[in-house]
Amino acid sequence: MVSSDGRPYQEEPMRVAVIENMRNTGLGALAAALDEAGAEIEWFRVWQDGILPLDISGHDALVVLGGEQSALDDETHPYLPELVRLTRRFGDAGKAVLGICLGSQILARAYGADNHLGIAREFGWHRIGVTADGRADPLLSALGGEFTIFEWHADTFSLPEGAVCLASSPVAENQAFRIGRAVYGTQFHFEANSDVVEQWKAEFPDTIARIAPGWLEKHAELAVRHGGAADAAGLAIARAWVSLIEREEVEMLSQASA
């Protein structure tokens, strides 16, 4: 591809900033989809140092992962207000944004919605219903009317003004939403494939035993029953979102004209 003045464009890999709000979160299915697309991932481990991207120009897309805190825990996690503003700047610039679990709650806050704490507990593999808008949306259109996916949350949120609700469950009405072209929030953990769930099981057994008594003992049976379908749905969602990332091309002088 060449520009109007005859200079070639150098196709750069898509650059994706990933905000990790809690250690060992894991990208799972999303990592696979980004790798397929040849994306460059830059991690920002704010749980460790609170450092966020300086601006939006260095990345084509933003991913905000889950965490144990709430989207309103500014006092204990002082980077949160700036992260809220950052997600909004990415979205307003037309860049692809993805918020998963806590990330979706932060995204809802960024667009003026309310966060509701501790009223919507879901853990494990659950069935999620796809709305009519969701069945027509690029993110979920391949999944039919419902799908199985992993959940781990207690908080929820109201739908931001102008957002489109894409998926729902009896516990949390707003399971997925879209704002504009490619700003998406998913309350469910579509990235949590079987390997990620296995990692969480090993990493957080005490927490899981407290919030979901008996689940650890049933995990093997539940994984056989639901893991394959959830893995397939998660990868389909991951690929669909990655396909919406618009890469900025960098114009470079050719060697011949140098």
Side-chain angles (χ1 to χ4, degrees), residues 17 30 35 40 59 79-80 87 107-109 134 143 151 155 169 171 179 195 200 205-206 221 242 256:
L30 190 55
D35 184 63
E40 289 185 354
H59 303 92
Y79 69 86
L80 276 173
T87 60
L107 192 58
R109 175 182 170 184
L143 300 180
E151 299 266 16
D155 301 341
S169 78
V171 174
I179 297 171
D195 289 341
W200 289 351
D206 294 340
E221 174 192 346
V242 170

Side-chain angles (χ1 to χ4, degrees), residues 166-190:
L166 306 177
S168 186
S169 78
V171 174
E173 180 180 4
N174 297 314
Q175 284 282 350
F177 65 89
R178 188 195 77 245
I179 297 171
R181 182 190 67 85
V183 176
Y184 284 92
T186 69
Q187 182 60 76
F188 50 83
H189 282 281
F190 73 85

Side-chain angles (χ1 to χ4, degrees), residues 81-161:
E82 179 56 30
L83 178 55
V84 168
R85 291 189 288 269
L86 184 72
T87 60
R88 184 64 184 259
R89 289 201 300 273
F90 266 85
D92 288 351
K95 298 193 177 193
V97 180
L98 175 64
I100 301 175
C101 198
L102 170 64
S104 70
Q105 298 158 11
I106 290 170
L107 192 58
R109 175 182 170 184
Y111 280 87
D114 296 322
N115 292 108
H116 304 298
L117 308 185
I119 66 168
R121 184 174 298 280
E122 291 179 293
F123 181 85
W125 288 283
H126 289 268
R127 298 291 287 175
I128 302 295
V130 183
T131 67
D133 286 321
R135 289 192 289 272
D137 189 273
L139 194 74
L140 303 181
S141 60
L143 300 180
E146 62 178 9
F147 59 94
T148 297
I149 212 74
F150 202 83
E151 299 266 16
W152 189 346
H153 67 97
D155 301 341
T156 186
F157 50 84
S158 62
L159 194 67
E161 184 177 353

